């Protein structure tokens, strides 16, 4: 009976070391390609595939660093020449590296194809129009709306006797809501919960929204006035 100790097992350390040395060299070289691609594409991450006669090479980069280099031959299995996982098999690596110069040439051809592509693009552009007048008109309207809302808020605070509250009314099918606090109007919203805030503590509405809703604000104020008149009538009916 043969003793297992007598069976010869080949040492793979030398093959693995050669494989790892080649992968490191490819990682460094392809890393330059990834860096150049990141600059060319103008993004922190991305991927691009380059075709050769023997297959296709895909470079994926992130933050300008090579993430993986994949070789997809027309015949045979795909090989991650460089990756964050396990290194490739030596035979697969040898097959891929035989086509590596063609991949580099394809990358260089891609860069060369872009030479002069922007030569006829003019850098002379029309001057952007100023929005100062539009903004001034919007602010003029909103200032008037804010003044009216503050006055209504003050009256509602006096009548209700609480530190905050809301007054809502439907105008031409649109729900308007004024929230008031002790110091004045907190917000004015038209269109329900997902509507437009004509007044708020955040950014002002667009000029288009102001144009759409400002004309109906008069009707909202009239609805408030009608509400106050109804309150007065209710109180007049009370006899002491």
């Amino acid at each position: 009976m043969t003793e297992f100790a007598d069976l010869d097992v080949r040492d793979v350390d030398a093959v693995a070391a050669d494989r790892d040395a080649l992968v490191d060299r490819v990682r460094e070289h392809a890393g330059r390609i990834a860096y150049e691609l990141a600059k060319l594409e103008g993004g922190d991450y991305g991927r691009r595939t380059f075709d050769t006669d023997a297959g296709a090479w895909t470079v994926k980069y992130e933050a300008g660093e090579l993430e993986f280099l994949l070789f997809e031959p027309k015949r045979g299995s795909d090989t991650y020449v460089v990756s964050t996982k396990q290194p490739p098999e030596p035979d697969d690596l040898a097959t891929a590296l035989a086509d590596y110069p063609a991949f580099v040439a394809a990358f260089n051809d891609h860069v060369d194809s872009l030479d002069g592509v922007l030569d006829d693009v003019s850098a002379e552009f029309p001057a952007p129009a100023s929005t100062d007048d539009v903004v001034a008109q919007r602010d003029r309207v909103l200032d008037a709306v804010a003044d009216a809302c503050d006055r209504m808020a003050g009256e509602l605070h006096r009548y209700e006797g609480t530190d905050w509250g809301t007054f809502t009314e439907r105008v031409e099918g649109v729900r308007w809501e004024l929230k008031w606090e002790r110091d004045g109007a907190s917000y004015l919203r038209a269109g329900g919960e997902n509507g437009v805030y004509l007044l708020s503590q955040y950014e002002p509405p667009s000029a288009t929204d102001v144009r759409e809703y400002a004309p109906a604000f008069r009707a909202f104020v009239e609805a408030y006035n009608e509400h106050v008149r109804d309150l007065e009538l209710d109180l007049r009916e009370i006899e002491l």
Side-chain angles (χ1 to χ4, degrees):
M1 182 175 181
T2 302
E3 293 292 336
F4 292 125
D6 295 335
L7 298 177
D8 186 29
V9 177
R10 294 289 188 269
D11 190 345
V12 301
D13 287 348
V15 176
D18 288 344
R19 186 267 319 277
D20 293 344
L22 281 172
V23 169
D24 286 343
R25 290 175 61 187
V26 174
R27 188 192 311 275
E28 179 181 359
H29 189 273
R32 291 170 52 195
I33 293 177
Y35 175 74
E36 297 296 338
L37 269 178
K39 289 196 301 181
L40 185 63
E41 301 291 339
D44 289 336
Y45 61 91
R47 68 168 67 198
R48 179 170 284 274
T49 298
F50 300 90
D51 294 323
T52 66
D53 291 340
W57 292 79
T58 298
V59 180
K60 186 174 187 297
Y61 58 88
E62 186 168 343
E65 299 288 337
L66 178 66
E67 187 163 340
F68 70 69
L69 177 64
L70 170 65
F71 176 56
E72 299 172 277
K74 292 182 177 179
R75 295 180 181 179
S77 302
D78 298 348
T79 300
Y80 282 91
V81 179
V82 176
S83 74
T84 58
K85 300 179 181 179
Q86 65 188 37
E89 292 291 332
D91 286 344
D92 294 336
L93 177 62
T95 300
L97 292 187
D99 192 56
Y100 187 78
F103 154 63
V104 177
F107 167 76
N108 290 338
D109 288 344
H110 172 65
V111 175
D112 291 342
S113 70
L114 299 175
D115 185 30
V117 69
L118 299 176
D119 288 350
D120 296 330
V121 178
S122 174
E124 300 295 329
F125 307 114
S130 173
T131 62
D132 289 349
D133 290 342
V134 176
V135 171
Q137 292 299 322
R138 178 196 64 190
D139 292 347
R140 176 184 62 81
V141 174
L142 291 181
D143 286 346
V145 171
D147 181 65
C149 286
D150 283 340
R151 291 169 60 188
M152 286 188 287
E155 297 298 333
L156 288 166
H157 170 62
R158 288 174 56 197
Y159 172 77
E160 298 290 346
T162 56
D163 289 341
W164 65 272
T166 59
F167 173 73
T168 61
E169 189 64 44
R170 187 168 292 275
V171 177
E172 298 177 0
V174 177
R175 186 176 186 272
W176 288 70
E177 180 176 283
L178 170 65
K179 181 179 180 182
W180 52 268
E181 297 178 352
R182 177 188 293 270
D183 297 332
S186 177
Y187 69 72
L188 175 66
R189 184 176 63 201
E193 292 185 0
N194 296 320
V196 173
Y197 284 84
L198 289 177
L199 297 178
S200 75
Q201 58 181 324
Y202 303 108
E203 69 275 0
S206 68
T208 303
D209 287 336
V210 174
R211 177 68 182 84
E212 179 179 356
Y213 290 102
F217 178 68
R218 179 183 297 274
F220 175 69
V221 176
E222 291 174 349
Y224 161 80
N225 291 338
E226 183 66 26
H227 172 70
V228 173
R229 283 192 290 269
D230 289 342
L231 293 176
E232 291 176 350
L233 290 174
D234 291 341
L235 289 175
R236 288 175 183 175
E237 293 175 356
I238 298 176
E239 296 182 1
L240 299 179

